[in-house]
Amino acid sequence: MVIIVGAGPIGLATSIELKREGIPSRIIERGSLVNSIFHYPRDMTFFSTSDRLEIGGVPFISHNPKPTRREALEYYRRAAESYDLDIHLYEEVRAVDGKDGDFTVRTDRDHYEASKVVVATGFYDIARKMNIPGEELDKVKHYYDEAHPYAWQDVLVIGAGNSAVDVALETYRTHANVTLAVRGPQIKETVKYWVKPDIENRINNEEITAYFNTEVKEIKPREVVLDTPTGIKTIPNDFVLAMTGYQPNFELMSQFGIALTNDEKRMPVYNEQSLETNRKGMYVAGVVCGGMDTSSLFIENTRVHAEHISSDIKRKLTAGSFG
């Protein structure tokens, strides 16, 4: 039995590839199926075409060239059902004891024996915090759903990437009074080419107020304090939408005994061919492999991880190799 921690697309793909090899697996997920995608904005459209999101050879047919969040949720449910995957949802893995070939995976509900363990937990579950006064207030949101709740409200959007720009434009178009706070000197060059002129025009027309080279110093119940190039500014505020990015669960990986690189990326240490980590018998898969470099790995270019891992596990189980 192989235990897979995380029921995202790559966790599902790994379980499918193992099943094709005749190796039983069980997926354990602390949230819903493809939990990260579930928490994407409600009306989000993927950058990629549907064929690049497919797993297990199950066709992904969408109404438009680029699928929506809703279509993706339906697709991954169908893929899991097609292969009759063993999935435990809303169950959190707390520890992995033992050694290669004889692991015990302990959760908040039960414990399971496993010969191998695959960690496919992604990075979307933990928001990068700003660590400033007031960040704990209910009006501060690190996840964005839809624009409607912010109509006619004073909204501060923090960030300069695709998420921040999308949120700023969507809330602006529902009549929010939008201010954008950016730590750098400009909107990021990586913002979608068809969206970047839109946000720049809104800023130039003073329809959205933007503060560049600015940091948020404090969040108060009805105001926010900004440290701008021209000094401290306090502006009215009803909601803060902090699109500051997300990060892997480093604490969990460390608890599992997975080493992390000693640099700003904090990537898990693993073999690039097999995806096996420094802890024998434990693998990493999907975007979690990038550590803090969350802009380099996606569903599209990590689907191959499932094949590499399943091939390595089959080879080692066949040979009776356990470290």
Side-chain angles (χ1 to χ4, degrees):
M1 170 67 70
V2 176
I3 294 293
I4 300 168
V5 186
I10 308 307
L12 298 178
T14 302
S15 185
I16 289 170
E17 293 302 322
L18 288 168
K19 192 160 194 173
R20 286 174 163 176
E21 297 287 3
I23 301 170
S25 66
R26 175 172 294 134
I27 301 173
I28 303 177
E29 164 63 54
R30 72 175 185 174
S32 66
L33 189 76
V34 290
N35 195 58
S36 294
I37 295 176
F38 173 72
H39 284 102
Y40 286 172
R42 187 170 298 176
D43 298 322
M44 195 204 82
T45 297
F46 281 81
F47 295 171
S48 302
T49 54
S50 57
D51 60 299
R52 299 190 67 189
L53 302 175
E54 291 177 355
I55 59 173
V58 178
F60 186 171
I61 308 300
S62 60
H63 294 295
N64 296 296
K66 295 182 178 181
T68 64
R69 164 189 171 274
R70 182 173 181 176
E71 289 174 325
L73 293 175
E74 180 181 353
Y75 169 75
Y76 290 115
R77 289 198 305 270
R78 182 159 52 86
E81 185 177 15
S82 296
Y83 282 92
D84 191 27
L85 301 182
D86 182 358
I87 305 174
H88 291 209
L89 300 175
Y90 304 103
E91 184 172 355
E92 185 172 4
V93 175
R94 297 284 178 82
V96 178
D97 301 327
K99 62 182 181 179
D100 187 16
D102 187 24
F103 288 117
T104 299
V105 178
R106 303 189 186 279
T107 76
D108 57 354
R109 294 187 183 182
D110 209 336
H111 67 277
Y112 308 93
E113 305 305 316
S115 59
K116 309 286 184 183
V117 176
V118 180
V119 180
T121 48
F123 65 78
Y124 199 66
D125 283 347
I126 301 177
R128 293 188 200 176
K129 294 299 181 70
M130 298 174 289
N131 298 315
I132 59 174
E135 188 172 8
E136 75 285 352
L137 293 173
D138 289 340
K139 72 172 187 174
V140 180
K141 314 292 181 183
H142 287 276
Y143 293 89
Y144 172 77
D145 184 4
E146 59 178 329
H148 175 75
Y150 309 109
W152 299 292
Q153 303 299 293
D154 290 318
V155 174
L156 176 69
V157 179
I158 304 173
N162 279 298
S163 295
V165 167
D166 286 344
V167 169
L169 290 171
E170 286 188 22
T171 51
Y172 157 74
R173 292 196 164 96
T174 56
H175 306 291
N177 176 30
V178 179
T179 299
L180 188 63
V182 179
R183 292 184 65 181
Q186 61 187 9
I187 298 297
K188 289 184 178 179
E189 293 297 330
T190 52
V191 168
K192 294 168 286 190
Y193 70 88
W194 63 93
V195 174
K196 195 166 183 284
D198 190 0
I199 187 67
E200 290 174 340
N201 287 336
R202 303 291 74 75
I203 292 170
N204 291 336
N205 294 340
E206 298 183 351
E207 295 164 303
I208 291 176
T209 302
Y211 291 97
F212 295 102
N213 297 308
T214 292
E215 293 192 14
V216 182
K217 300 300 290 183
E218 184 177 1
I219 301 170
K220 299 180 179 181
R222 303 296 298 173
E223 297 172 322
V224 290
V225 180
L226 307 178
D227 187 358
T228 78
T230 58
I232 298 295
K233 292 186 181 295
T234 300
I235 62 173
N237 177 259
D238 297 305
F239 290 98
V240 174
L241 303 178
M243 302 293 103
T244 50
Y246 309 94
Q247 66 182 41
N249 192 332
F250 295 117
E251 182 178 350
L252 186 67
M253 285 194 287
S254 295
Q255 186 176 331
F256 287 171
I258 298 175
L260 304 174
T261 58
N262 189 27
D263 56 24
E264 62 181 15
K265 291 186 178 181
R266 300 188 69 194
M267 294 170 56
V269 175
Y270 62 92
N271 180 290
E272 291 188 4
Q273 281 71 48
S274 67
L275 283 302
E276 188 176 25
T277 69
N278 61 287
R279 185 175 182 184
K280 296 296 184 182
M282 182 172 286
Y283 299 76
V284 285
V287 297
V288 71
C289 295
M292 290 297 291
D293 185 11
T294 57
S295 61
S296 63
L297 297 180
F298 309 93
I299 298 171
E300 306 95 293
N301 61 4
T302 58
R303 293 179 298 176
V304 67
H305 290 180
E307 299 172 16
H308 292 331
I309 291 171
S310 63
S311 295
D312 193 69
I313 289 177
K314 180 183 180 181
R315 178 178 62 82
K316 289 178 176 176
L317 291 180
T318 301
S321 172
F322 298 110

